[in-house]
Amino acid sequence: MATNVAKIQEEILALSETDYQQLKQWFNDLEWEKWDRQIEADSNAGKLDFLIDEALEAEEKGTLKNLEDL
């Protein structure tokens, strides 16, 4: 008996190129949404505060780089 994942994989392989590209885009969008939620949760929990501290320290030292210059 095939697992659910194996069945899904078989179905994916049977997709037309257009349907495959749509599914691929959907997965990509889903991953970015999950990433955004994780970044927001980490930020709200203060886990990214060290980045602000590093940027402020670099600004004080005059070593902060403008992203447009990179």
Side-chain angles (χ1 to χ4, degrees), residues 54-66:
E54 286 178 14
L56 292 172
E57 183 179 330
E59 185 178 39
E60 283 179 16
K61 291 179 180 178
T63 59
L64 185 64
K65 295 179 182 176
N66 188 333

Side-chain angles (χ1 to χ4, degrees), residues 17-34:
E17 184 63 26
T18 299
D19 288 344
Y20 175 77
Q21 290 301 326
Q22 288 176 340
L23 180 64
K24 188 172 142 183
Q25 184 62 51
W26 178 80
F27 267 112
N28 188 42
D29 292 345
L30 180 64
E31 286 299 309
W32 277 109
E33 288 172 19
K34 288 173 72 173

Side-chain angles (χ1 to χ4, degrees), residues 6-22:
K7 289 177 187 176
I8 293 168
Q9 289 171 331
E10 288 177 27
E11 291 294 326
I12 290 171
L13 291 173
L15 291 174
S16 69
E17 184 63 26
T18 299
D19 288 344
Y20 175 77
Q21 290 301 326
Q22 288 176 340

Side-chain angles (χ1 to χ4, degrees), residues 48-58:
L48 304 177
D49 289 353
F50 74 97
L51 295 171
I52 295 169
D53 295 339
E54 286 178 14
L56 292 172
E57 183 179 330

